[in-house]
């Protein structure tokens, strides 16, 4: 990424780093079998969390067995992927407690389901929260993030922490997505020398490779949807405020949100139903965030809907355009009316304002997070910059901290009229772009390409944004929701996603459309673990 064109940078926001994988003599051969996901007759790659719950109810296995399966698989497969930073030392104990609750007949909607959290989501106790940075190894959050409290209340087992782009990729440009000083480089499970995209890279790779039942990611602009699309899974970027931001290491509270990354829409709906909710610590949480999104799962939901297509988001990328064309054909075959080749106006101007606003917001918000988090760690952004300078050989080995330095040079003042004008421009123009195109065309949602084929990972050169495809910015800047689902494959191997997005709190509609599209095509296939393309 470069800063010569802020709009292009924003399309790639929240991407970070990658170690190259050396190719063997037979470079195209699979580095690991894609099988090995069957537990007591249930294929966990294809199963939903509802299937897992039924299996536990029927006594086929219990949560301890399921949790141990994932811990064993992490030990076996994660050395190829570097998707998991740490496992929870109390995971099996939590699973035993879940099994005890089940035997007593009382259990929650995710009872016994192992969940991996992106490592910028606070957990108290023995599971650290580092944002991928060595500077936070001594951080000791006083309590779980609100969304983690919600997961625990629903009976979930916290399996561990997923790798990520360090500091959600707001440290340097150019950089390579999926790298952190704590976790190393995350690799795409379909082709290991390809990049996983996005700062929630570890979450997407882990669930794609069945290292957990479900995972949680976070997004500022593209960090859920891009890795989900690039790794052949489902991701939901919720409406801002649907999921509490309390206890999540911030980039910008004006855009940050956590959301589910899963292998299927059913699981995403189940997880979002759990992690939503009003949090007194986060005044942005919405009072009507109390819906059961599983009720939206209608395989016939496309019939009678009007869906616009934002085709220009694909640019000239033929693979993305072909995938979009196939998606449009599916929509029409399932009874939807398609309004093709729409334009969203004002997005370049919104994107330029967004970048300048994010620099100010990051300084303000990360300073507040660091000041309020116990433990031994730098107390502010200035301290982080100095820490990295003292640890150049590890933190700055491959790329610098230019974004940190640009953010530090701002006032960090959210009351500054100049800042408020920037944020207003970014938010209002993106909302108007979505609202106006939907109203003018009487749309239920907009369809767009999620990503281009994963590029070769390189720490020294950074992300290759040639023919880069992204459609995340309108939803990210507006605070509106989006869902990405598998749409196809480039060269029959590298996953490509399609995104449905719409207006504020339109999650029920988007989940219904995503589910109906998923059920119509059953596009997703398990990872191939190729070392490189032949």
């Amino acid at each position: 990424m470069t800063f010569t064109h802020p709009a292009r940078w924003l399309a790639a926001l929240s991407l970070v780093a990658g170690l190259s994988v050396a190719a063997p003599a037979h470079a195209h051969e699979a580095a690991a079998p894609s099988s090995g996901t069957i537990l007591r007759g249930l294929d966990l790659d294809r199963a939903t969390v509802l299937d897992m719950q039924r299996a536990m109810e029927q006594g086929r296995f219990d949560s301890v067995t399921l949790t141990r399966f994932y811990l064993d698989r992490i030990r076996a497969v994660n050395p190829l992927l570097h998707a998991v930073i740490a496992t929870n030392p109390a995971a099996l104990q939590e699973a035993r407690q879940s099994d005890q609750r089940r035997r007593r007949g009382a259990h929650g909607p995710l009872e016994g389901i192992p969940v991996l959290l992106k490592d910028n989501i606070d957990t108290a106790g023995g599971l650290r929260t580092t944002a991928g940075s060595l500077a936070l190894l001594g951080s000791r959050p006083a309590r779980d993030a609100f969304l983690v409290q919600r997961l625990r209340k629903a009976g979930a087992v916290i399996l561990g922490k997923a790798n990520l782009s360090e500091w959600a990729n707001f440290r340097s440009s150019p950089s390579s997505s999926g790298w952190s000083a704590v976790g190393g480089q995350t690799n795409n499970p379909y082709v290991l020398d390809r990049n996983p995209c996005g700062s929630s890279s570890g979450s997407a790779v882990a669930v794609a490779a069945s290292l957990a039942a479900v995972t949680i990611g976070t997004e500022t602009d593209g960090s859920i949807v891009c890795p989900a699309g690039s790794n052949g899974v489902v991701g939901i970027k919720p409406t801002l405020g649907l999921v509490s931001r309390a206890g999540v290491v911030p980039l910008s509270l004006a855009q940050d949100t956590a959301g589910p990354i899963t292998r299927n829409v059913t699981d995403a709906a189940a997880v979002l139903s759990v992690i939503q909710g009003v949090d007194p610590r986060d005044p942005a949480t919405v009072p009507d965030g109390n819906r059961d999104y599983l009720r939206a799962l209608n395989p016939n939901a496309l019939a009678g809907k009007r869906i616009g297509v934002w085709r220009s988001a694909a640019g000239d990328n033929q693979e993305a355009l072909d995938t979009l064309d196939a998606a449009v054909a599916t929509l029409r075959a399932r009874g939807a009316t398609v309004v093709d080749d729409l334009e969203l106006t004002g997005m370049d101007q919104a994107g330029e304002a967004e970048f300048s606003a994010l620099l100010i917001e990051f300084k303000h918000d990360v300073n507040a997070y660091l000041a309020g988090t116990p433990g031994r760690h730098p107390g502010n952004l200035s301290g982080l910059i100095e820490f990295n300078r003292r640890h150049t050989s590890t933190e700055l080995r491959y790329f610098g901290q230019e974004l940190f330095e640009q953010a530090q040079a701002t006032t960090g003042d959210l009351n500054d009229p100049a800042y408020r004008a920037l944020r207003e421009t970014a938010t209002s123009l993106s909302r108007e772009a979505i609202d106006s195109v939907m109203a003018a065309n009487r749309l239920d949602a907009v369809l767009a390409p999620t990503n281009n084929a994963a590029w070769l990972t390189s720490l020294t050169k950074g992300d290759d944004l040639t023919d880069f495809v992204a459609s995340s910015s309108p939803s990210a800047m507006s605070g509106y929701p989006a869902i990405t689902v598998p749409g196809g494959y480039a060269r029959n191997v590298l996953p490509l996603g399609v995104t449905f997005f719409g207006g504020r709190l339109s999650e029920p509609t988007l989940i219904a459309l995503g589910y109906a599209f998923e059920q119509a095509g059953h596009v997703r296939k398990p990872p191939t673990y190729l070392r490189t393309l032949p």
Side-chain angles (χ1 to χ4, degrees):
M1 292 174 288
T2 68
F3 299 105
T4 56
H5 195 316
R8 175 185 166 98
W9 178 86
L10 286 159
L13 184 64
S14 296
L15 308 181
V16 166
L19 286 171
S20 297
V21 178
H26 301 286
H28 62 283
E29 292 181 359
S34 57
S35 59
T37 60
I38 297 175
L39 177 63
R40 307 283 174 85
L42 184 66
D43 186 351
L44 299 183
D45 178 80
R46 297 177 179 274
T48 69
V49 294
L50 304 183
D51 296 328
M52 296 179 198
Q53 289 272 27
R54 280 191 289 269
M56 287 188 279
E57 289 288 342
Q58 294 165 0
R60 293 171 66 181
F61 53 78
D62 57 15
S63 180
V64 168
T65 304
L66 182 62
T67 301
R68 186 175 286 118
F69 170 90
Y70 285 121
L71 291 172
D72 289 344
R73 186 162 173 84
I74 288 169
R75 280 189 287 271
V77 179
N78 194 57
L80 285 173
L81 303 175
H82 306 290
V84 179
I85 279 184
T87 55
N88 180 10
L92 288 174
Q93 179 184 348
E94 292 181 19
R96 291 187 191 99
Q97 293 169 347
S98 170
D99 289 334
Q100 290 171 2
R101 288 193 296 270
R102 189 180 296 276
R103 284 193 292 270
R104 294 195 300 263
H107 56 82
L110 291 180
E111 194 65 63
I113 301 297
V115 180
L116 275 173
L117 308 169
K118 185 177 178 179
D119 194 24
N120 62 350
I121 299 172
D122 280 353
T123 46
L127 192 58
R128 291 172 174 167
T129 304
T130 71
S133 172
L134 300 173
L136 293 191
L137 287 178
S139 176
R140 297 293 182 268
R143 52 184 164 180
D144 290 338
F146 183 76
L147 73 89
V148 178
Q149 295 173 15
R150 298 280 293 179
L151 286 166
R152 292 190 188 280
K153 185 177 180 181
V157 173
I158 305 304
L159 189 65
K161 293 294 186 71
N163 200 6
L164 70 163
S165 299
E166 186 173 316
W167 294 109
N169 192 43
F170 210 73
R171 200 195 80 184
S172 177
S173 176
S175 59
S176 172
S177 292
W179 180 88
S180 73
V182 175
Q185 173 59 42
T186 309
N187 298 319
N188 191 303
Y190 286 83
V191 183
L192 296 174
D193 64 359
R194 296 282 169 154
N195 198 269
C197 192
S199 77
S200 298
S201 50
S203 299
V205 169
V207 79
S210 293
L211 304 187
V214 296
T215 66
I216 306 294
T218 67
E219 174 160 328
T220 306
D221 191 331
S223 286
I224 287 176
V225 294
C226 188
S230 296
N231 294 281
V233 291
V234 174
I236 296 179
K237 197 289 289 187
T239 297
L240 185 71
L242 189 67
V243 179
S244 172
R245 303 161 301 173
V248 179
V249 181
L251 194 167
S252 163
L253 293 180
Q255 293 184 195
D256 292 349
T257 182
I261 302 180
T262 62
R263 286 179 296 276
N264 54 72
V265 177
T266 299
D267 290 357
V271 173
L272 186 60
S273 298
V274 165
I275 63 174
Q276 67 179 337
V278 175
D279 178 9
R281 295 173 61 198
D282 184 356
T285 48
V286 295
D288 52 349
N290 188 28
R291 294 176 175 173
D292 180 0
Y293 295 107
L294 290 170
R295 295 182 178 179
L297 302 181
N298 177 6
N300 301 312
L302 288 167
K305 297 296 190 298
R306 289 178 61 85
I307 300 174
V309 179
W310 186 24
R311 183 172 293 275
S312 63
D316 296 325
N317 189 297
Q318 194 58 51
E319 292 167 331
L321 288 169
D322 289 346
T323 298
L324 195 61
D325 287 340
V328 167
T330 298
L331 300 185
R332 287 177 169 148
R334 292 296 170 129
T337 298
V338 175
V339 182
D340 209 342
D341 211 16
L342 299 177
E343 286 298 332
L344 274 68
T345 59
M347 293 311 302
D348 285 346
Q349 184 182 352
E352 292 173 5
E354 180 196 23
F355 174 61
S356 298
L358 289 176
L359 290 171
I360 298 166
E361 290 158 353
F362 178 69
K363 180 177 181 179
H364 177 275
D365 295 344
V366 81
N367 281 353
Y369 174 84
L370 293 170
T373 301
R376 298 182 61 185
H377 58 77
N380 52 33
L381 178 57
S382 176
L384 291 177
I385 292 170
E386 182 56 34
F387 177 93
N388 290 339
R389 288 172 179 163
R390 293 198 310 268
H391 298 84
T392 300
S393 63
T394 50
E395 284 290 350
L396 304 182
R397 179 181 178 185
Y398 300 110
F399 46 87
Q401 53 181 341
E402 298 86 357
L403 292 181
F404 271 18
E405 291 161 350
Q406 289 184 52
Q408 178 61 23
T410 72
T411 63
D413 181 4
L414 301 190
N415 293 315
D416 182 349
Y419 156 73
R420 295 174 73 88
L422 290 167
R423 174 44 62 193
E424 172 62 22
T425 296
T427 302
S428 63
L429 285 180
S430 53
R431 288 180 178 176
E432 182 180 353
I434 296 174
D435 292 342
S436 61
V437 78
M438 291 190 67
N441 295 279
R442 296 177 288 111
L443 302 177
D444 294 285
V446 177
L447 176 74
T450 305
N451 61 292
N452 57 295
W455 54 87
L456 284 167
T457 295
S458 171
L459 279 173
T460 55
K461 295 180 181 179
D463 289 329
D464 181 359
L465 301 184
T466 306
D467 289 332
F468 187 77
V469 173
S471 56
S472 61
S473 289
S475 298
M477 288 186 279
S478 64
Y480 291 172
I483 181 172
T484 181
V485 293
Y489 294 86
R491 281 148 277 181
N492 203 36
V493 176
L494 297 169
L496 298 172
V498 293
T499 293
F500 294 91
F501 64 89
R504 183 175 183 271
L505 294 172
S506 61
E507 282 85 353
T509 296
L510 300 182
I511 288 170
L513 297 176
Y515 179 75
F517 179 83
E518 173 191 70
Q519 296 301 303
H522 294 285
V523 170
R524 182 185 176 269
K525 55 189 178 184
T528 48
Y529 304 97
L530 299 178
R531 292 194 182 276
T532 191
L533 287 177

